[in-house]
Every structure is written in C-alpha cells, then in structure tokens.
Amino acid sequence: MAGPSAPAVIAKGLKHLDLDGHDLPPSPAPSSPSNGRKYALATELVYTDSGDQYNSSSVPIYQSATFKGGPGQEYDYTRSGNPTRTHLERHMAKIMNANRALVVSSGMGACDVITRTLKPGDEVVTGDDLYGGTNRLLTYLKENGGIIVKHVDTTKVDLVKQALSSKTTMVLLETPTNPLIKMVDIAGISAAAHEASPDCCVAVDNTMMSPYLQNPLDLGADVTYESGTKYLSGHHDLMAGVIGINNAALGDKFYFMINSTGCGLAPFDSWLLLRGVKTLAVRMEKQQESAMRIAHFLEERGFKVRYPGLKSHPQYALHNSQARGAGAVLSFETGSINLSERIVESTKLFGISVSFGCVNSLISMPCRMSHASIDPALRKERALPEDIIRLCVGIEDLQDLMDDLSQALVRAGAVRLTSDGFMALEVGDGETGKTTMVVDEP
C-alpha cells in the first residue's frame, strides 16, 4: 500500500498551526500581511489582514463564554481562549516585537501572572522607585510567600550587580520609573542578570513608554509587560494588561497561570483594546510634543522638572540610547506640600486622577495617591519628595493646557510675578506643612 503523499504529511504536521504560524488557537485573521512584509510601526498598529467570513473591516467580538463541540476543537471556553482575545494577542505580539503576547484583565494582573512563577526562597532584584501597586504585591510575596526581595537603585548598574547572585530568579524593572522619572539601563542589567544566573527572568514594566517608544525585548529583557489601560487603550475606558515574551516555555507558564486563574481579558475589552491601539502613534506623538513644551515651560520658570526629554536630565543620553521618544509623563517639585496641593486643586483641564496615558490631561500628587500605599518612612528612605506633582499630558490644545497650568500656579501662590511673567518661589519662600488630600490608587 502506498504511503501518504507529501502534501498530506505536511498538512498533518501543520494542522495545529494558526495563520501566523503559531501552534496556538487560531485568530480570525493574521495580524501581519500574508506576504510577510513588515510595515512601519505606525502602519502595523492599524493594519490587519481580514480573514473573517463576512470580510468585516473590524475584528468581530466573539461575545460568548462557551463554544459548541467536542474535545480537540479550537475553542471551548472563553477562560481558556477566545477568538477576539487571540487576535488581540497576535496584534500585540507584532507591535511588541515578541514571539507571543498574552492579555489579562489589568496591568497588575500581568505583574501577578509573571510573579506567580516564583517559588519560596527565590530572589527578586527590583528598583527603589516602583509603582505603588507593584511595591504592594512584592511586599505581600515577601511576607507571605517566602520570596526574597532586594530593592536597589536600579539606575546604577554596579549596585544591581552587587545584588545579583546565582540565586536571583527574577529582575523586575521599570524605566522610566514612576514618579521620579529615573532611567534604567535595560541592556546592561539584562546582560549582568543572565551572567549571574543564566535562568534569571528579566521583566520590564514598559507602561510609561509603550511599544511605540521602547521595546525591552530588543534590549535583552525576557519579558515586557504593561498596563493596557494606559497608552495602548488611550481612553481610560477599559482595564487590561499585556505580556510580551520570546521564550516559548515561559509563555506556556504564563498561559497556564492565566487559564488556571481565569484572568484573561474579556472579549469586549479585547475588542476595545484592539480599537484603541490603532491610534497609539498619533496620540503619543501629540502627547509627547506637548509634554516637551510644558517641561521646558516649567523648567524655564525655575521649577525642578523631571522629564527624559530635557537635556538637563542626568540620564538623558541613556534614555535616548534605548527609547525613541520621551513620552508624555513628567513631574516637578515646588518645595512645599501645601503649595503642591493647592496647584493640583486649582487646575481645570488637568483632572485630578491616578493613572496616565489617557487622551485627557491628568494631574496628581503621587505620595497622596498612586504611591500612598508605600509607608511614609519608606518613601523618605527612597528619596520620594512628598511635594512632587505628576503631570500626564493629553491631546488637548497646548496653549489651553499651558494657560490652565499657569493660572493654577498663580492661584496657588506657587510663583512670584515678574516683569516677564512669573517665576517659581525661591527655596524657603513657600509654605510647608501637612496636607489632607489622600486618594490611594486601588
């Protein structure tokens, strides 16, 4: 009897591969063009080939918890996989320069999935200027999970090297950090971590930059993750977290956690994120252009401004060596908690809110809001100024934003009038004291 034909053998071997060549549940359409051509990122953000049976221009929402059929079918239960979510994951992998992407219900959900691979006794090296939620999760793991957590100034590669050992299981980084806007040498630390411990997982929170401006996997990191709630979505109308991985085994571990805990992103939110990410390029370009102007505006008037686009930033060169832009988040100090509180309460266009990355401009006092869960003594130890104000610049008219910020500075009494306009108060001129505004980010 003749054996199977060559095409039949090939077909059998490829039967589990999807349209993008992954041995994973299929997407309703490939994320990249079928001819394999790679477009510029601004184009790839928008572009998808349509394989939908009705030639839909927008990827359909498969708003179903279950799928009919027996064992071995492509989808059975949305907790384990859903066509809309799968298409989003293909699309995100493409723009993150990752072999695989996974999407979950929030940015902290992504961080949780990543850290669930840790076991009692594992060592984690991380920064001393972390998002409050990340710090809270690591503290829990240290106190309840037997995880050893070492906080160091990750802006100094030598200090990181001193903290690394053969027992280091994970290095968790943020760059730029939030809210001190400090830069971390992703390539340098990744190389040092892998030299100290070849199996060490280097994970980078890339939320502040987004894949449009920075790609940690290209710099040697093993995992990149971010809150899709921020720039990827851009409208603060959904919660999402995105994880990008190149290592297949690591991707399988993360998927196991997602499937087991049921934290995968829901179909409708997946569709919203697919829609939002298409405008990432135009939003980010507008937002960082305005942020640069506002940063110069504040610096020229005597405020201490932290923004990677300013040449006065001590790590300006490092940031520009690994990123393609400065982003749209900046922070500045007034020298007085009371002054800072009055500035925040005096703005009209800048809404008082935690988070960032939205088309609307936001203002906050991190020590009273997003980082309030960090003990005040620890904030002091980590040199986090209690008076620091964070601005998250949106897409509104630049002049309107500058006018709003100017009137807030004047109304708050944070400046002295001059013949040319106004300047920041000299150190010691401002008031000091306690503030009562406390809005902790969940």
Side-chain angles (χ1 to χ4, degrees):
M1 179 180 292
S5 65
V9 172
I10 294 173
K12 183 177 180 181
L14 295 179
K15 71 176 183 177
H16 295 299
L17 297 183
D18 69 0
L19 292 171
D20 285 329
H22 297 286
D23 186 15
L24 299 168
S27 164
S31 192
S32 289
S34 56
N35 63 9
R37 177 182 176 185
K38 183 75 172 179
Y39 291 114
L41 181 54
T43 304
E44 292 283 13
L45 285 167
V46 178
Y47 187 89
T48 56
D49 265 350
S50 178
D52 173 64
Q53 60 181 323
Y54 298 112
N55 293 319
S56 170
S57 296
S58 177
V59 175
I61 305 172
Y62 287 82
Q63 193 65 41
S64 178
T66 59
F67 298 84
K68 296 177 182 179
Q73 67 179 33
E74 294 164 352
Y75 293 96
D76 57 6
Y77 195 51
T78 282
R79 171 167 57 80
S80 301
N82 179 283
T84 309
R85 184 197 305 157
T86 303
H87 186 78
L88 170 63
E89 290 175 340
R90 298 293 183 276
H91 196 60
M92 291 310 307
K94 177 182 66 173
I95 67 173
M96 297 172 87
N97 286 351
N99 287 334
R100 186 178 185 182
L102 297 163
V103 293
V104 295
S105 56
S106 71
M108 281 310 304
C111 188
D112 179 54
V113 167
I114 294 166
T115 55
R116 277 179 185 266
T117 60
L118 298 170
K119 303 180 297 296
D122 284 349
E123 293 187 1
V124 177
V125 175
T126 190
D128 59 358
D129 180 30
L130 289 176
Y131 166 59
T134 305
N135 186 83
R136 182 166 48 202
L137 177 61
L138 291 175
T139 300
Y140 178 88
L141 292 173
K142 179 175 64 176
E143 295 177 351
N144 298 278
I147 308 299
I148 300 167
V149 181
K150 299 179 181 179
H151 291 276
V152 300
D153 183 353
T154 47
T155 65
K156 297 178 173 61
V157 177
D158 288 343
L159 291 181
V160 176
K161 287 182 177 179
Q162 292 174 23
L164 294 170
S165 73
S166 60
K167 298 180 180 179
T168 304
T169 308
M170 182 173 291
V171 175
L172 198 59
L173 305 174
E174 295 179 20
T175 185
T177 65
N178 176 19
L180 295 182
I181 318 296
K182 297 193 294 185
M183 311 308 155
V184 173
D185 183 351
I186 299 174
I189 292 178
S190 295
H194 293 140
E195 182 178 355
S197 178
D199 294 328
C200 176
C201 174
V202 179
V204 180
D205 183 342
N206 195 48
T207 305
M208 193 83 82
M209 289 286 97
S210 87
Y212 185 69
L213 297 179
Q214 187 169 266
N215 299 108
L217 296 180
D218 292 350
L219 298 166
D222 301 290
V223 180
T224 180
Y225 72 100
E226 53 192 276
S227 171
T229 313
K230 313 299 193 299
Y231 290 111
L232 292 176
S233 164
H235 296 80
H236 283 185
D237 53 7
L238 70 98
M239 301 287 290
V242 185
I243 305 170
I245 325 102
N246 280 335
N247 182 279
L250 197 54
D252 288 341
K253 283 185 179 181
F254 294 157
Y255 173 75
F256 176 84
M257 297 297 176
I258 294 169
N259 186 37
S260 300
T261 60
C263 63
L265 195 62
F268 184 67
D269 287 340
S270 296
W271 181 83
L272 279 176
L273 187 50
L274 268 169
R275 183 178 69 165
V277 77
K278 291 180 180 180
T279 60
L280 174 61
V282 290
R283 286 187 281 105
M284 184 61 85
E285 289 289 353
K286 168 67 175 175
Q287 287 171 269
Q288 72 173 355
E289 179 184 357
S290 294
M292 180 74 80
R293 293 281 298 277
I294 290 172
H296 279 293
F297 171 80
L298 289 169
E299 186 176 60
E300 289 165 358
R301 281 151 185 80
F303 291 98
K304 180 180 180 179
V305 182
R306 301 171 186 261
Y307 182 63
L310 295 175
K311 292 184 178 179
S312 58
H313 195 293
Q315 295 168 298
Y316 174 83
L318 171 62
H319 179 77
N320 281 277
S321 71
Q322 63 185 19
R324 296 180 292 274
V329 178
L330 62 120
S331 59
F332 70 101
E333 297 160 49
T334 66
S336 164
I337 297 173
N338 282 342
L339 281 180
S340 294
E341 179 180 317
R342 291 204 295 269
I343 292 169
V344 170
E345 293 176 340
S346 296
T347 57
K348 294 181 174 63
L349 288 178
F350 285 88
I352 303 176
S353 177
V354 295
S355 198
F356 57 88
C358 184
V359 291
N360 303 98
S361 292
L362 305 174
I363 189 170
S364 67
M365 287 184 68
C367 291
R368 300 296 176 265
M369 299 172 73
S370 57
H371 292 62
S373 60
I374 301 177
D375 184 82
L378 189 56
R379 293 200 300 261
K380 183 176 181 180
E381 179 184 324
R382 295 179 180 175
L384 180 56
E386 296 291 317
D387 67 306
I388 197 167
I389 294 174
R390 189 183 70 181
L391 297 180
C392 308
V393 182
I395 66 170
E396 301 94 339
D397 178 78
L398 173 61
Q399 191 58 55
D400 285 339
L401 291 176
M402 294 178 70
D403 288 346
D404 185 42
L405 191 56
S406 296
Q407 67 83 25
L409 293 170
V410 173
R411 287 181 60 193
V415 294
R416 54 185 174 82
L417 300 179
T418 68
S419 57
D420 297 324
F422 57 78
M423 292 291 292
L425 296 177
E426 299 292 339
V427 176
D429 287 349
E431 300 176 46
T432 59
K434 297 181 179 179
T435 180
T436 57
M437 184 174 67
V438 179
V439 185
D440 189 10
E441 185 163 12

